[in-house]
Amino acid sequence: MSYYILSLVLLFSAGAIGVQTPMSPAKAKAAKKLFSQKCVKCHGSDGTGKTIFGQIAGATDLTDSKWQDKADDKQIVNSITHGRGQMPSFEKKLSKDQIAQLAQYVREFRR
């Protein structure tokens, strides 16, 4: 019984500090497709932001390890949801689950 309770505490604690479980292959594929449809124009398929639109808009380099360390998961979700600078809001265009998947996908660009 105590092992079960300890397991639950550890599981919920990990979630509270932003540790994420890996996406299933189906969700990873869906997140990649969403990124291609909604984000590539500015951030590029490699996440560097080195596209014409990205340079004009000042798109964040998602591969930058300093940025990855500084931005927590909640900030990434907030930026996708509400927009930031010239980045549009996706609150009314994507579900919360899709936004969470995109945020997790952004972490895949960490170098």
Side-chain angles (χ1 to χ4, degrees):
M1 176 73 167
S2 63
Y3 176 75
Y4 176 73
I5 292 171
L6 178 61
S7 296
L8 285 175
V9 168
L10 290 174
L11 177 67
F12 289 115
S13 297
I17 59 172
V19 176
Q20 298 178 349
T21 57
M23 283 192 281
S24 70
K27 284 194 176 194
K29 185 176 180 179
K32 184 176 182 176
K33 183 177 179 181
L34 274 175
F35 189 85
S36 294
Q37 293 170 337
K38 306 292 184 186
C39 311
V40 164
K41 182 177 179 181
C42 293
H43 291 286
S45 60
D46 62 356
T48 61
K50 293 181 181 176
T51 68
I52 291 173
F53 290 109
Q55 291 174 350
I56 292 169
T60 298
D61 178 355
L62 305 175
T63 68
D64 180 18
S65 59
K66 288 180 185 176
W67 177 84
Q68 285 275 355
D69 291 341
K70 188 174 113 178
D72 64 27
D73 294 343
K74 188 175 180 180
Q75 290 171 314
I76 296 171
V77 167
N78 187 58
S79 292
I80 296 168
T81 303
H82 301 290
R84 185 161 194 251
Q86 292 191 36
M87 180 175 156
S89 166
F90 289 96
E91 184 173 28
K92 295 182 180 177
K93 299 174 185 173
L94 300 174
S95 69
K96 287 183 181 185
D97 188 50
Q98 288 174 314
I99 290 171
Q101 287 174 21
L102 271 178
Q104 193 169 358
Y105 185 76
V106 163
R107 291 297 190 195
E108 300 295 317
F109 289 109
R110 178 186 294 269
R111 286 189 181 168

